Amino acid sequence: FSSAMNQAFSHEPGTAISCLSIPITLHKEGGPGIPETEMKCGFKIGGGIDQDYKKCPQGYEDNGIYVTDMAPNSAATKSGLRVHDKILQLNGYDFTMVTHKKAVDYIKKVPVLNMLVARKGVTQT
């Protein structure tokens, strides 16, 4: 068992979430003239309902969309997002039941990401 096993957050789709949802607003970064679709958010995701979570190296326990990697000093870092956060919702869109590609496309499409994330070990403020 890797230490990542303890960091992943388990949630059965369709059931109430017993942990606190943390609101995070991420403003993507890009220079003048850079199209919105190419602005950088600074994080990578893993998961999706079309993926086999049992094969993922992080040891996640469901098909949710998880933050797997973050660039230093990026928009993601500044927003307060953390590796292993599970994205529950993005701009009102349910992220607990999406395919990997849909999640990636949706993240690329919008310049500001208003997310609700679940973080293992955080149940209250």
Side-chain angles (χ1 to χ4, degrees):
F1 290 98
S2 66
S3 61
M5 285 294 280
N6 304 326
Q7 295 166 329
F9 174 74
S10 176
H11 170 244
E12 195 65 41
T15 61
I17 294 164
S18 59
C19 80
L20 183 81
S21 300
I22 303 164
I24 287 181
T25 302
L26 185 155
H27 295 269
K28 288 191 192 169
E29 296 173 332
I34 293 191
E36 283 185 359
T37 51
E38 288 173 32
M39 291 171 74
K40 299 277 180 248
C41 56
F43 69 94
K44 292 179 183 161
I45 59 166
I49 55 172
D50 56 333
Q51 308 289 312
D52 184 357
Y53 65 86
K54 294 180 183 80
K55 291 181 180 164
C56 80
Q58 292 88 1
Y60 299 137
E61 294 172 25
D62 60 33
N63 285 328
I65 299 294
Y66 288 92
V67 177
T68 55
D69 192 31
M70 288 179 35
N73 304 315
S74 63
T77 318
K78 293 172 194 154
S79 74
L81 198 63
R82 290 193 199 157
V83 171
H84 302 307
D85 279 356
K86 177 178 179 175
I87 304 173
L88 304 172
Q89 205 180 63
L90 176 65
N91 295 357
Y93 187 75
D94 180 7
F95 252 47
T96 62
M97 298 296 283
V98 292
T99 61
H100 185 81
K101 185 181 181 330
K102 256 207 176 102
V104 170
D105 290 347
Y106 199 85
I107 288 168
K108 280 184 175 168
K109 198 165 65 173
V110 291
V112 178
L113 307 177
N114 288 301
M115 295 179 275
L116 274 181
V117 303
R119 184 170 295 157
K120 190 168 176 74
V122 179
T123 52
Q124 56 188 11
T125 45

